[in-house]
Amino acid sequence: MSSSRGQASNGPPPNCQKVFIQRDYSDGTMVKFQTRFPTELGDRLDRPTFEYTINQLNNYFAEAERASCSTYCEGCLACLTGYLIYICTETHYEKCLRKVAKFVSEQNDRVYRPRGLLLTDPTTRGLRLIEISVLDRPAS
């Protein structure tokens, strides 16, 4: 199910160049990615577009980790039902991950694929990094 999230059904070719955007741990362990523009993408992508993508992903993950009255109630209800409630409903975090997958897919269709790039959903990489594949450059 999650193997095709946010990318083409076959994914990037195995021997293409990959650019990795690392997690930013400067504010703690919450999911946040660095916004430093990689030089490898300079000829294909402009800085504002790249920063918009990363900032939007960071906003989705901040929303997922934000505690609110509804998330506390969700946790209490889960405890009271022996976590059986999750058979019937999605968690707030899962809903936000769905938003991330949709956003990555839209960005690939509108921005990245037309420029010969492929943005990989960070959930497929264990939220450790964001992978951007340069489809027409061989791996070095």
Side-chain angles (χ1 to χ4, degrees), residues 11-29:
N15 346 353
C16 66
Q17 180 185 11
K18 297 185 187 308
V19 178
F20 299 104
I21 312 303
Q22 301 295 326
R23 286 267 299 266
D24 180 1
Y25 292 101
S26 62
D27 294 333
T29 58

Side-chain angles (χ1 to χ4, degrees), residues 43-94:
D43 60 336
R44 298 189 180 244
L45 194 64
D46 55 302
R47 183 180 300 267
T49 302
F50 171 79
E51 288 177 351
Y52 168 76
T53 301
I54 302 301
N55 286 330
Q56 193 63 31
L57 287 170
N58 286 340
N59 289 339
Y60 283 131
F61 286 113
E63 176 188 342
E65 295 183 6
R66 193 170 299 124
S68 67
C69 184
S70 66
T71 57
Y72 285 123
C73 290
E74 178 183 294
C76 291
L77 187 60
C79 287
L80 290 172
T81 62
Y83 295 92
L84 293 175
I85 189 72
Y86 293 136
I87 293 172
C88 306
T89 64
E90 278 185 317
T91 65
H92 171 71
Y93 200 85
E94 289 169 333

